[in-house]
């Protein structure tokens, strides 16, 4: 349940957990294991499209910690989440929604 709280505090303003519901950012429904920049009706940055990421738990952890370092030139306006335990809880929550 802590992961859901982290999502609500850190991500929900820009991302939805509902399939097919994009906001400022793409839906995160089923994001764990998904290829980056793969939702057809969302306008991703060229930087994210070219990054060739697969959203593994490890890649999500690195990205959520430092999005601008992982995808330089990306559109996500988020500075990152320093708390490793909160990131782990968030990723566990994201993995549970599919």
């Amino acid at each position: 349940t802590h992961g859901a709280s982290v999502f609500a505090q850190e991500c929900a303003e820009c991302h939805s957990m509902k399939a097919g519901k994009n906001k400022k950012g793409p839906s995160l429904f089923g994001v764990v294991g998904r290829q980056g920049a793969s939702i057809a009706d969302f306008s991703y940055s060229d930087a994210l499209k070219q990054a060739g990421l697969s959203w593994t738990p490890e890649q999500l952890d690195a990205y959520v910690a430092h999005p601008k370092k992982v995808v330089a030139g990306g559109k996500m306006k988020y500075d990152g989440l320093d708390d490793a335990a909160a990131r782990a809880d968030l990723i566990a929550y994201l993995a549970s929604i599919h």
Side-chain angles (χ1 to χ4, degrees):
T1 60
H2 185 248
S5 295
V6 174
F7 177 84
Q9 293 171 353
E10 301 289 329
C11 314
E13 180 179 332
C14 297
H15 295 278
S16 168
M17 289 303 293
K18 294 183 180 184
K21 182 177 181 191
N22 298 321
K23 294 169 84 174
K24 292 177 196 174
S27 168
L28 296 182
F29 179 88
V31 69
V32 177
R34 186 168 75 202
Q35 189 65 31
S38 62
I39 294 179
D41 63 345
F42 187 79
S43 178
Y44 294 97
S45 67
D46 289 339
L48 187 61
K49 289 179 197 174
Q50 295 169 4
L53 301 177
S54 179
W55 294 124
T56 64
E58 297 79 18
Q59 187 64 68
L60 281 165
D61 183 60
Y63 186 70
V64 172
H66 303 286
K68 292 174 177 93
K69 288 183 182 178
V70 174
V71 180
K75 294 192 306 186
M76 189 157 99
K77 300 197 184 320
Y78 181 69
D79 291 331
L81 180 60
D82 291 331
D83 185 329
R87 286 194 317 272
D89 289 344
L90 172 64
I91 293 164
Y93 171 67
L94 293 175
S96 75
I97 308 295
H98 49 79

